[in-house]
Amino acid sequence: MRNNIVFGNIEEALPGETENAESVVRDFLVSKMKLASDLVSEMKFERIHRMGEKRPGKNRPIVAKFNLFKERELVRRAGSALKSTPYFIHEQFPKEVSDKRRKLVPKMKEARNKGSRAWISYDTLFIDGKPFKDSAN
């Protein structure tokens, strides 16, 4: 999962139409994330596919496994271009890490509301540069 990025809320093909997830992601990188088309065309992916079951009215996320970590990081850092849009990207983590991060998000938001700098790195919450210790965890 180290080289994976999850793309969210990208429209799916209409029922009965086939979708090439790789071309959808490449178009998304150029049109929505404003990456250079020559750079995107050179990127190599190991695999790209939609996750989960189809549900009416819902767009399944797309997971892309990059061949090069450097390219994955380039895309991840360009994710700020998606602010104030309905789209999002994030790293893919193992279930245990995702569950821990989900529990840390409210604590991070609370710290930010109090004026502290707070962020989550992998499965650790940092508040003002120091790892957050919670007696409940």
Side-chain angles (χ1 to χ4, degrees), residues 85-137:
T85 72
Y87 309 106
F88 62 89
I89 65 167
H90 61 81
E91 298 174 75
Q92 186 180 32
F93 294 107
K95 183 179 178 352
E96 305 81 40
V97 174
S98 293
D99 292 344
K100 189 169 181 183
R101 288 173 67 94
R102 197 170 291 116
K103 290 177 184 173
L104 292 173
V105 167
K107 293 175 177 85
M108 178 184 72
K109 288 181 177 179
E110 181 183 326
R112 286 180 177 174
N113 288 339
K114 291 179 181 175
S116 298
R117 276 189 19 203
W119 67 92
I120 299 174
S121 179
Y122 195 64
D123 65 350
T124 305
L125 171 63
F126 290 88
I127 299 175
D128 292 327
K130 294 182 174 53
F132 174 75
K133 300 281 188 240
D134 187 10
S135 57
N137 286 340

Side-chain angles (χ1 to χ4, degrees), residues 4-8 51 61-64 88-93:
N4 292 3
I5 296 247
V6 177
F7 296 83
M51 296 189 307
I62 297 176
V63 63
F88 62 89
I89 65 167
H90 61 81
E91 298 174 75
Q92 186 180 32
F93 294 107

Side-chain angles (χ1 to χ4, degrees), residues 24-78:
V24 169
V25 167
R26 287 185 191 277
D27 292 344
F28 180 81
L29 291 173
V30 172
S31 65
K32 304 293 187 217
M33 296 186 71
K34 309 297 185 216
L35 292 174
S37 60
D38 58 335
L39 183 68
V40 171
S41 65
E42 294 295 316
M43 287 183 178
K44 294 195 177 12
F45 299 98
E46 201 167 302
R47 184 167 183 197
I48 300 178
H49 60 90
R50 293 260 182 195
M51 296 189 307
E53 292 183 22
K54 284 188 177 185
R55 294 187 309 199
K58 295 277 188 176
N59 293 317
R60 295 176 295 161
I62 297 176
V63 63
K65 181 172 178 122
F66 289 79
N67 276 0
L68 297 175
F69 183 77
K70 182 172 75 172
E71 290 175 348
R72 185 207 82 147
E73 282 299 289
L74 176 81
V75 171
R76 187 183 64 81
R77 288 193 182 110

